[in-house]
Amino acid sequence: MRAAVYHGPGEIRVESVPDLEIESSRDAIVRVTNTAVCGSDLWFYRGQSEREAPSRVGHEPMGIVEAVGDDVRSVEPGDRVFAPFVMSCGFCEFCRKGLHTSCVNGESWNGDNGGAQGEYVRCSHADGTLVRVPERHADDEDTLQALLPLTDVMGTGHHAAVSAGVEAGSTCAVVGDGAVGLCGVLAARRLGAERIIALGHHEDRLDIAEEFGATDLVTDRGDDAIERVEELTGGGVNHVLECVGAASAMETAVGICRPGGTVGYVGVPHGLDGGLDLYPFFGDNVSLRGGVAPVRAYAEELMADVLQGTLDPSPILTKTVDLDGVPEGYRAMDERDAVKVLVKP
Ligand SMILES: [Zn+2]
Ligand SMILES: [Zn+2]
């Protein structure tokens, strides 16, 4: 089989790798039909985070089940499935409480399991991880592209909105106009937010934010952004979705949060080596909730909306490549030529 392999910063190559086989009775082998390059992949691509080299990459798989182990009950060969960015068993303490990202049997893609930016992946814990797309939708390409973001960014944007306590009639703000921030806008609208202020710096992305339901756009930076949101809202918003993870984004998030409000954060923290300044949270009783999104917990709920045509995050997929185009996909995202790259192996 062929797969994209990371060889060091800026270097992704598509090459032959050993075929995957069923190794345990709970495994499934999935032939990848749709996957994506993630904003989080840019951290190692830019050399800003450590990663073993060589190592296989990609964590947002969708495809057709090719083979299953003897104990797999929920899917069978031929089923169209997608899977979250981590695998989970579905039966441990944390899976049962909807915190699949803390699964005690959890595993990642990328290593021996294949890496989703390749022709095949092996899913250990197929029953707890794979989400089956109902047969009547299983070959509709538009539907599949709308479902693909549920593997990561749509579930993550939703987690930000849920963590921030967004509900019908809320006024909220979304910090960040990357794929997760845009999905956060969509999630906030889906939960009934009345006013959604999107903060970002890229016109093409903010156009998508508007399409997704943002009612106000703020392009200022730092203190100017905080002032602008305070002006717009008479002192800040009760619900802030922090979708970047950088120290400056967290400062903006708490800065625009109304006293007593909540920041729902899903951005992978970085640049916070000096620690997070708790005083702004302390001074105004601002709550901080969130963390890595347990997207498996939200998959069925979000899929139901996609299948009935009321949720479509696919406009974030602004570029499509085949497997050989994966290196070009990384380049395009690195240089912000694309919001998110769809890969069709
Ligand atoms: Zn991702
Ligand atoms: Zn588990």
Side-chain angles (χ1 to χ4, degrees), residues 175 226 230 240 242 248-259 263 276-282 284 286-287:
V175 179
I226 295 172
E230 285 181 340
V240 182
E242 192 288 304
S248 58
M250 192 61 93
E251 278 165 26
T252 301
V254 66
I256 61 178
C257 197
R258 208 172 184 84
V263 173
L276 175 65
D277 183 7
L278 280 178
Y279 273 98
F281 293 92
F282 178 80
D284 281 326
V286 169
S287 302

Side-chain angles (χ1 to χ4, degrees), residues 38-40 59-60 85 152-153 340:
C38 189
S40 66
H59 56 255
E60 301 170 353
F85 59 87
D152 186 346
V153 289
K340 190 169 177 72

Side-chain angles (χ1 to χ4, degrees), residues 2-8 10-17 45 54-57 117 323-324 326-328 330:
R2 298 172 73 240
V5 179
Y6 170 76
H7 283 277
E11 246 189 286
I12 303 286
R13 292 182 219 151
V14 178
E15 49 197 46
S16 288
V17 296
Y45 184 75
S55 62
R56 278 179 260 172
V57 282
Q117 292 157 8
L323 187 58
D324 287 312
V326 168
E328 160 61 15
Y330 275 77

Side-chain angles (χ1 to χ4, degrees), residues 2 8 20 27 30 41 53 84 95 106 158 165 181-182 186 196 208 220 233 235 271 274 298 317:
R2 298 172 73 240
L20 295 168
D27 287 355
V30 177
D41 293 330
C95 284
H158 178 67
L182 296 175
L186 204 48
I196 304 169
I208 301 176
D220 307 270
T233 55
Y298 302 132
L317 300 164

Side-chain angles (χ1 to χ4, degrees), residues 87-96 99-106 125 128:
M87 294 179 235
S88 50
C89 71
F91 52 75
C92 75
E93 173 192 347
F94 302 106
C95 284
R96 284 183 188 283
L99 204 55
H100 300 72
T101 38
S102 295
C103 176
V104 299
N105 302 303
H125 296 295

Side-chain angles (χ1 to χ4, degrees), residues 25-339:
S25 62
R26 296 182 196 278
D27 287 355
I29 302 291
V30 177
R31 177 170 59 83
V32 179
T33 57
N34 303 57
T35 184
V37 183
C38 189
S40 66
D41 293 330
L42 295 179
W43 290 110
F44 61 77
Y45 184 75
R46 292 172 173 163
Q48 290 165 330
S49 69
E50 292 289 317
R51 187 189 186 88
E52 202 183 315
S55 62
R56 278 179 260 172
V57 282
H59 56 255
E60 301 170 353
M62 168 184 274
I64 305 277
V65 176
E66 288 271 317
V68 296
D70 289 342
D71 291 327
V72 173
R73 293 290 175 269
S74 64
V75 295
E76 58 184 14
D79 284 348
R80 177 85 63 172
V81 295
F82 65 90
F85 59 87
V86 285
M87 294 179 235
S88 50
C89 71
F91 52 75
C92 75
E93 173 192 347
F94 302 106
C95 284
R96 284 183 188 283
K97 72 198 294 191
L99 204 55
H100 300 72
T101 38
S102 295
C103 176
V104 299
N105 302 303
E107 278 186 51
S108 65
W109 306 101
N110 301 334
D112 293 342
N113 293 309
Q117 292 157 8
E119 289 182 315
Y120 294 89
V121 286
R122 177 178 48 236
C123 180
S124 44
H125 296 295
D127 282 339
T129 304
L130 298 177
V131 184
R132 188 178 164 278
V133 179
E135 207 165 330
R136 62 179 294 221
H137 300 281
D139 296 313
D140 180 60
E141 189 57 34
D142 287 346
T143 302
L144 297 179
Q145 289 188 24
L147 286 172
L148 185 67
L150 274 52
T151 59
D152 186 346
V153 289
M154 184 63 223
T156 299
H158 178 67
H159 189 55
V162 169
S163 298
V166 174
E167 54 186 19
S170 292
T171 293
C172 65
V174 180
V175 179
D177 59 6
V180 173
L182 296 175
C183 287
V185 171
L186 204 48
R189 187 182 67 177
R190 177 177 172 276
L191 292 172
E194 204 164 272
R195 193 163 182 200
I196 304 169
I197 302 168
L199 289 83
H201 309 304
H202 307 91
E203 206 175 318
D204 54 329
R205 294 167 186 225
L206 290 172
D207 286 346
I208 301 176
E210 263 190 317
E211 183 189 331
F212 281 0
T215 53
D216 302 80
L217 305 176
V218 172
T219 54
D220 307 270
R221 292 174 189 266
D223 288 345
D224 293 341
I226 295 172
E227 260 173 50
R228 183 80 190 110
V229 174
E230 285 181 340
E231 254 169 48
L232 285 169
T233 55
V237 298
N238 277 315
H239 313 280
V240 182
L241 289 67
E242 192 288 304
C243 300
V244 181
S248 58
M250 192 61 93
E251 278 165 26
T252 301
V254 66
I256 61 178
C257 197
R258 208 172 184 84
T262 305
V263 173
Y265 81 107
V266 294
V268 182
H270 53 269
L272 284 163
D273 295 344
L276 175 65
D277 183 7
L278 280 178
Y279 273 98
F281 293 92
F282 178 80
D284 281 326
N285 277 266
V286 169
S287 302
L288 182 61
R289 298 188 61 213
V292 59
V295 304
R296 185 63 184 81
Y298 302 132
E300 276 88 5
E301 177 189 349
L302 296 175
M303 180 165 72
D305 281 23
V306 171
L307 298 185
Q308 70 174 8
T310 54
L311 177 66
D312 180 9
S314 66
I316 60 168
L317 300 164
T318 57
K319 182 181 174 77
T320 304
V321 297
D322 60 12
L323 187 58
D324 287 312
V326 168
E328 160 61 15
Y330 275 77
R331 186 212 57 78
M333 283 188 58
D334 182 36
E335 294 175 15
R336 296 188 191 277
D337 287 345
V339 178

